[in-house]
Each structure stands twice: as structure tokens, then as C-alpha cells.
Amino acid sequence: MRTGEAHSARMYDYLLGGRDNFAADREAAEAAVAAFPTLRTAARENRAFLGRAVRHVVEETGIRQFLDIGSGLPTARNVHQVARRHAPDARVVYVDNDPLVLAHGQALLAADARTTVIQADIRDPRAILGHPGTRELIDFGEPVALLAVAVLHFVSDEEDPRGLVARLREALVPGSVLVLSHATAEISPETALGVQAAYRAQGVPLTLRDRAAFAELFEEFEIAEPGIQVVSDWRATVPESERPSHAEVSWYGGTGRLP
């Protein structure tokens, strides 16, 4: 484990107020906050979006199995916690490329037979789909909720995020759901591009994309209502007057169903 190098999962943990991070992660995150002072707000809004999206999947689609890629470190309101409030039989496979996520997740979930954590990278769909931990809990003959929340902006254009999603989609049956969120520079270019530069300066790749490029990731999926939204607005449960501005968040989210 390279604790002297910043990692996106641990930076996100720090931004959310977690304690599973190292000095390099905190320094990199603070550099990003200096460029985008509301980055912590954006991270919290993205986390809240994840919770609302999971509830939507459970309550409105009947899906009971989740593959959460780029899950990050265990925090409050994890996918399995949200899902099981509404479906106690929900099964979840968490996937991340950070060995710290694997170690913490395995310790936290050791006694939970319906949840597991595997170490793999979204850039290698075959390894994710064929992993014994995935195969043990996920029945690909039934609809699956595939989550890639706040991860594809760490995949460069050269690594073909659209193609990676397509390869994952090939394993899914009709009725499956895709949940995505992605940072953008389309709303507040100067501050968002400052964050991108700060991340890249610390060796953490970050590629911001506009709404059109984000929508392309849902190829072959039918985007669910209310469509692609800034994450703080997607099925929001608080009045608009109490939400942060779009410029303070600069993060798109949405879900889609495979017909």
C-alpha cells in the first residue's frame, strides 16, 4: 500500500469527514479545496445522491443485488445499509482498487454473508465480473444494479470510460439498472478546472466531462426520471431554497434501466 501517495478513495473519505486517510491524501484534498472551496459540499451531495438512487432501485425496480464499483472506504449510509432498510435480503459486492478499502471492508463486513468487498479496477471489467466474490453473491441471470458513482472521472478518455461501461453492460440482463455520477467543469469552469489541476498535480487522474459526454455513458439504457441532474437536485428531498447552488456542486448524476 502506497501511503505516501494520494489515492482518490482516501481523499474522498477525508472530504466526507472520515478518518481512514493519510497525510498525502489530506494534503491533496486540501489543495483541491483551495481551488474549489465547496468541494466538501459537493462530496456530501454526491453521497446523498447515492443513497437516494439506491432507495429508488430497491423501491421502484425490485432489484435486490448491487455491484458497487469504485465504492471507496466504508462510511455511514453505505449501499447495503440503505438497501436493507427497504429490502433486508439485498446483496452487495463492493469493488475498489485501493488495498485499504479491501482491508477495512473485509474487517467491517466479515460476519455479513450477503455483502463482500473485492479489490479490482473498473478498467478491468473481466476481473470484476469473473471474481469469485462477485460470482458468489451476484446472479447475472437476474437484474443487477450496477453502480459507478464518482469513479469514471478518474478514467481518462484514452482509457475509454464509455467502452468500459459497455463491457460491463454486456453481463447484464434486461431490467438491470445503471447508477452513475460524474464531476463536471460545465457549470463552473474556472473552479472545477482548478480542482482537476490540483488532483493531477498530486498524481491523481481527474477528467471532467460535460452533460453530453456523461449521457453517452448510458448508451442502451433508458434514463429514468428526472433525467440527468446535478446530484443535489436528483429526486431531492429538501426544498430548492435549502440546496446548494449548481456551481457549488458541479456534479451530474442519473440512473438508467436496460430495456
Side-chain angles (χ1 to χ4, degrees):
M1 185 188 308
R2 298 178 179 178
T3 59
E5 298 179 8
H7 189 282
S8 57
R10 299 192 300 264
M11 290 172 66
Y12 189 55
D13 174 73
Y14 174 71
L15 291 169
L16 289 171
R19 294 177 293 181
D20 295 311
N21 48 73
F22 300 101
D25 308 306
R26 295 189 286 273
E27 291 170 8
E30 286 296 344
V33 169
F36 193 174
T38 61
L39 186 56
R40 287 186 176 87
T41 297
R44 289 194 298 268
E45 292 297 329
N46 180 70
R47 191 71 185 179
F49 159 78
L50 172 62
R52 295 195 302 274
V54 170
R55 181 174 179 177
H56 153 69
V57 169
V58 172
E59 292 188 332
E60 299 183 32
T61 74
I63 290 174
R64 296 294 183 266
Q65 45 184 3
F66 295 79
L67 182 58
D68 184 5
I69 303 176
S71 58
L73 285 151
T75 63
R77 295 173 295 157
N78 278 318
V79 170
H80 72 283
Q81 294 170 324
V82 176
R84 287 183 189 161
R85 289 196 205 111
H86 312 282
D89 58 339
R91 305 187 306 279
V92 181
V93 174
Y94 293 108
V95 183
D96 204 280
N97 65 2
D98 184 359
L100 186 63
V101 173
L102 181 69
H104 279 249
Q106 287 180 334
L108 181 68
L109 303 170
D112 189 338
R114 297 193 307 278
T115 307
T116 193
V117 183
I118 67 171
Q119 185 179 350
D121 196 297
I122 196 170
R123 298 169 184 84
D124 190 355
R126 181 179 297 179
I128 294 171
L129 297 171
H131 194 284
T134 304
R135 291 291 170 177
E136 182 179 354
L137 287 184
I138 302 295
D139 176 4
F140 286 100
E142 298 291 333
V144 176
L146 173 64
L147 283 58
V149 173
V151 62
L152 287 169
H153 46 228
F154 296 115
V155 176
S156 69
D157 291 336
E158 291 74 21
E159 291 168 320
D160 189 16
R162 188 175 176 182
L164 295 175
V165 174
R167 287 163 63 189
L168 291 163
R169 185 186 66 232
E170 291 172 358
L172 305 179
V173 299
S176 294
V177 171
L178 177 65
V179 179
L180 299 178
S181 73
H182 199 295
T184 184
E186 190 170 39
I187 299 167
S188 183
E190 184 175 351
T191 52
L193 290 173
V195 171
Q196 178 174 273
Y199 268 73
R200 289 180 175 182
Q202 298 296 326
V204 180
L206 181 65
T207 300
L208 305 177
R209 297 183 172 94
D210 60 20
R211 182 189 290 264
F214 180 62
E216 288 178 352
L217 299 172
F218 287 96
E219 184 179 12
E220 294 193 21
F221 288 87
E222 297 175 344
I223 298 178
E225 292 295 332
I228 291 170
Q229 302 277 338
V230 173
V231 289
S232 50
D233 286 352
W234 194 89
R235 301 198 177 206
T237 56
V238 298
E240 185 174 357
S241 60
E242 297 178 19
R243 299 175 218 158
S245 70
H246 289 181
E248 291 176 297
V249 179
S250 291
W251 217 315
Y252 289 131
T255 71
R257 179 184 177 277
L258 191 63

